[in-house]
Structure formats: C-alpha cells, structure tokens
Amino acid sequence: MAMLEFTDVDVHYGQVQALRGISLSVEEGEIVALLGNNGAGKSTTLSAASGLAHPSAGTITFNGKDISQGKPWDIVADGLVHVPEGRRIFSTLSVLENLQIGGFLVKDKTLINKRMKRVFELLPLLEQRKSQQGGTLSGGEQQMLAIGRALIAGPKMLMLDEPSMGLAPLIVTAVMEVIREVNEQGTTVLLVEQNARAALKVTHRGYVLENGVTTVTGTAAELINDPRIVEAYLGA
Ligand code: ATP
C-alpha cells in the first residue's frame, strides 16, 4: 500500500480546473519529485493532499485513510505536513518561536523538546540563530526554518513546495542535502520543484505535471535521460 495515493483527482477553483484526473503514489521511504512549469498544478496537488483544496472528483488516501475531504489540522495530526511555497515563516517572531508553532498540535512537551533537539542537530544554524527575528534570516535560512518547523510536527511525510525558489545555486544544493538527510532519517518526501535538475539529484522517482495531468513518470535516472524532460526541463 502506498503512503500517499491520488486516484483520478480533479480540483476546481470556481470555473478553473487545476487538476484533471491526477493519479500518483508515494511509497514509504521515498523522495518523489513533482515537476512541471508554472500553473501545471503542482501546488494544487499539495494543497489537495493537505486539505487546503478539496477534490471535486477522485480520492486521496494517506496510509490507507481517505483524506479527500479532510481538515488540514487532522491531516497534520495524521503525519502529513506541507511546507508551502514562499516559506510563510512569521517574520516578527524569533526562530525559536517559529519552531514552537510547528508543535502546536503536539501536547507532549517532552516530545517537542526531543524533536527540537533533533532539528538543531540537523540544522545547527537554527540553534545559533534561535533568538533572531525570522524575517531577518536570509532566504536559504528561512527555508531551513520552514523545514525545521515542519519537522517539529513529527511528519511521517513532508510535502515541500519549491524549496529552491529564489535561492542561489550553492544554497539550493544545501537545501537539497537537508531534504536527503531528513529522508534518510525516516521521513518520506514529496518534493515540488521547477528546478528539475536540483530535484532529480536527490529524488528516487518523479512525475511531470502539465495542465493538471501527469504526463511522464519514472525513476530519477529515467527522467534525466528522457529526451522530453531534457528538452523541456533540463535545458539542452
Ligand atoms: P507555480 O509553480 O506557478 O506555483 P503550479 O504548478 O504550482 O504553478 P498551481 O498553483 O497549482 O500550479 O495552479 C494550477 C492552476 O490553478 C493555474 O491555472 C492557477 O492559475 C489556478 N489556481 C491556483 N490557485 C487558484 C485559486 N486560488 N483560484 C483560482 N485559480 C487558481
């Protein structure tokens, strides 16, 4: 059984149909990339899984449970956590306060402290900067904070929306390495990226989305060698 499974999912925003019968799956332990151009429906796919947009047709399951019409907070409590595009950190709150917000559904304080310790081991920078205001961090640091905050929620699966956006190449590499490490420590990852080259370095499998449907799917190696992908997403 797949950890996350979309079967023939449609999503509409009023008259606009953003997803047209999407089917995809993510197995436990994987990093799966969702690639595609602007407006292809990548963010909508994540929003549908996290309960921010509900399908008008089809089903979404997480660990076998139908979450198609689920509430965002219930889905987070089930272990599916979304890091939205643009990080959305709280700029006037400190790094530590931002991290604590990630634990808002977690009642057990010792569990939060344990996760905080793990986040600081993975991202030592956040510990060094814990009293700094979130909004004064660099773009890359804010992305690390957004990932750290999501980890405090204790995700079984993390969905990241364009973590490389607006970052310099070296910082993109650092963010991708953090994603790889999070995965190696046991968290499954669904990664939305326009930067296919960076994403395919760390992912196991991928899907290409065009106009609300998945058009190509394969292992990272298959996608890197697929002439359609090379031409459209990797540059000649
Ligand atoms: P990007 O990389 O630019 O974020 P994307 O692949 O994530 O693109 P989506 O943001 O999922 O694409 O958008 C898919 C389609 O749905 C687009 O045509 C977009 O204009 C439309 N759309 C997205 N959000 C809304 C909304 N809240 N209301 C109306 N239409 C929307």
Side-chain angles (χ1 to χ4, degrees), residues 13-14 16-19 36-45 85 161-162 192 194 209:
Y13 297 108
V16 178
Q17 184 167 6
L19 301 186
N37 289 327
N38 277 319
K42 304 179 302 297
S43 299
T44 301
T45 302
E85 195 173 339
D161 199 346
E162 297 210 24
V192 160
Q194 280 200 49
L209 231 66

